[in-house]
Amino acid sequence: MKTFLYFALGLMMSSASLAQEIDNLITPYRPKIAEFSMETLREYDTSTSSESFGSADNEVERDRLIKAKIGIPFLIKENWMFGIQLKYYQHQFTLDLEDQPTDYDLYLHLNAKKFTSTGIRTFYQRDIKDNQQLRLIGGAELKSDQIKWNANTTKYFISSTYTWQRSSRTQIGTGFVLNQVMGRTVFYPLFIYEKQLTPRWTLDLTLPKSAAIRYRANERNFITASADIRGWRYNLTNALEDSQRDLTLRKVDLQFSLSWEHELHDWLWFGLDIGYTKNLQYHLANPGDSSKDALIDIRSKDATYTKFSVFIVPPRKFYR
């Protein structure tokens, strides 16, 4: 069972960095092995502009994202491990078409469809030397309003990180992310820095994606303040009457949040996040095109954010 714990710790490094154990009497922040969550943005205005398709305004009454994911180990050896993570996300928009009726194709399509992001990622971790680790993550996802697999609806990705322990309280690392997503190649480097500031406070940086400071109130409660760059892409099928083909809807936000994680029963936890989201980029384009070649530019007002989650972590006894 201890090897399963090591696998879980490594697998979830793709989405969250780990706090360091101060001594044998303190249980560190435990990563999520499986999670179910619901995220909601409420009541924000949007406006569109396009030379070809015109302009329109509307209000998004609810922007809801439901997530489910689970990690599964397959091969675990003394100094390396291999496993997979399965995910399923469903994204739905509800627009104010009663008070603001519209015949704008994009708004009608967003209101009528559910968008799915589902896929698999593989995980490999090897201990290179004492206090040094190499991690490789790769996978494929379908991101679309219809279940169809082609170059316009899929994402393939690989990520690698190399981390080392500089001291008992400090871990640093570097790496990269390479995505082939809906006809577009995206590459960026990663810098990882984790510092145990005090027995209760930890600083976690995964730049340029996220920055967080975590407070351990006690072994059953953690509070985290964070800033994250978050985004998504979906394929839209025949969304515009005058453009019956696959198109890519792309959104990037800067999200500030405050989260509380509370232990319900050792390995079972509950999470509540509240925050504020500022839109950085939003557009509809042909697959592979960037924002400067967008068919429709979209402006989205700032919005408040909430998230409720239930998740599973490794039991506390494995840390004793």
Side-chain angles (χ1 to χ4, degrees):
M1 291 299 294
K2 191 174 182 179
T3 55
F4 180 82
L5 168 62
Y6 293 154
F7 167 78
L9 296 178
L11 179 64
M12 298 313 296
M13 281 296 292
S14 62
S15 59
S17 58
L18 309 178
Q20 299 301 310
E21 187 171 5
I22 301 301
D23 56 49
N24 292 332
L25 299 179
I26 298 177
T27 303
Y29 179 76
R30 290 177 280 174
K32 301 175 179 68
I33 300 173
E35 181 180 15
F36 177 83
S37 66
M38 182 172 65
E39 305 177 11
T40 305
L41 297 177
R42 284 191 175 274
E43 297 183 352
Y44 60 88
D45 293 329
T46 63
S47 60
T48 62
S49 60
S50 170
E51 293 183 359
S52 302
F53 301 99
S55 302
D57 300 323
N58 210 285
E59 180 186 62
V60 178
E61 293 184 331
R62 185 173 64 246
D63 176 342
R64 177 167 292 171
L65 178 61
I66 296 174
K67 297 182 177 182
K69 54 187 177 183
I70 184 171
I72 305 171
F74 276 102
L75 296 174
I76 303 176
K77 301 294 184 180
E78 182 178 355
N79 64 342
W80 66 274
M81 62 189 73
F82 174 81
I84 67 171
Q85 184 185 68
L86 305 176
K87 62 169 282 187
Y88 177 82
Y89 295 178
Q90 186 182 92
H91 204 162
Q92 187 173 13
F93 302 88
T94 302
L95 278 70
D96 185 10
L97 300 184
E98 181 176 342
D99 295 333
Q100 302 180 57
T102 182
D103 59 358
Y104 199 72
D105 291 342
L106 176 59
Y107 287 148
L108 294 176
H109 193 86
L110 286 177
N111 193 72
K113 299 292 184 178
K114 293 181 179 180
F115 301 89
T116 298
S117 177
T118 185
I120 183 173
R121 64 176 58 187
T122 60
F123 171 85
Y124 173 80
Q125 175 178 295
R126 176 175 287 275
D127 297 330
I128 305 299
K129 299 177 181 179
D130 291 341
N131 299 322
Q132 298 183 34
Q133 288 185 331
L134 173 69
R135 297 182 181 91
L136 296 172
I137 301 167
E141 297 178 12
L142 172 70
K143 307 172 76 68
S144 181
D145 57 0
Q146 291 188 6
I147 304 300
K148 58 179 184 180
W149 194 275
N150 60 46
N152 298 333
T153 65
T154 51
K155 170 185 176 181
Y156 302 92
F157 59 94
I158 184 170
S159 173
S160 176
T161 60
Y162 186 82
T163 58
W164 58 95
Q165 203 77 30
R166 294 195 63 184
S167 69
S168 62
R169 293 174 178 262
T170 305
Q171 178 178 269
I172 63 174
T174 186
F176 70 89
V177 175
L178 176 63
N179 295 329
Q180 181 66 35
V181 51
M182 300 180 185
R184 185 170 178 82
T185 301
V186 179
F187 173 87
Y188 56 90
L190 292 174
F191 173 71
I192 299 168
Y193 179 81
E194 179 186 303
K195 176 71 173 180
Q196 194 77 41
L197 303 174
T198 73
R200 292 187 181 272
W201 291 92
T202 301
L203 175 67
D204 287 331
L205 303 177
T206 304
L207 303 177
K209 295 184 63 178
S210 66
I213 187 165
R214 180 177 295 111
Y215 174 69
R216 184 184 66 85
N218 52 53
E219 292 192 350
R220 300 185 61 188
N221 293 276
F222 286 88
I223 298 173
T224 304
S226 62
D228 300 271
I229 300 292
R230 304 190 58 181
W232 46 256
R233 284 183 173 91
Y234 295 115
N235 174 77
L236 273 59
T237 306
N238 300 334
L240 305 178
E241 185 176 347
D242 297 331
S243 183
Q244 297 290 293
R245 63 183 188 277
D246 287 341
L247 298 171
T248 300
L249 184 67
R250 169 66 168 155
K251 191 171 189 278
V252 181
D253 293 328
L254 174 60
Q255 183 171 288
F256 302 95
S257 63
L258 183 67
S259 68
W260 169 51
E261 295 175 339
H262 173 69
E263 177 187 300
L264 299 176
H265 179 70
D266 190 9
W267 50 268
L268 182 64
W269 285 61
F270 165 81
L272 170 63
D273 295 31
I274 58 174
Y276 184 79
T277 297
K278 184 175 184 61
N279 183 234
L280 302 178
Q281 186 183 116
Y282 201 4
H283 65 269
L284 183 72
N286 288 312
D289 284 354
S290 64
S291 58
K292 66 180 181 180
D293 299 313
L295 298 174
I296 299 177
D297 289 310
I298 309 170
R299 291 175 297 281
S300 173
K301 292 292 184 65
D302 300 348
T304 56
Y305 158 84
T306 59
K307 174 183 174 181
F308 300 92
S309 61
V310 177
F311 54 92
I312 295 172
V313 302
R316 183 179 290 109
K317 65 180 181 180
F318 294 120
Y319 292 85
R320 299 305 188 185

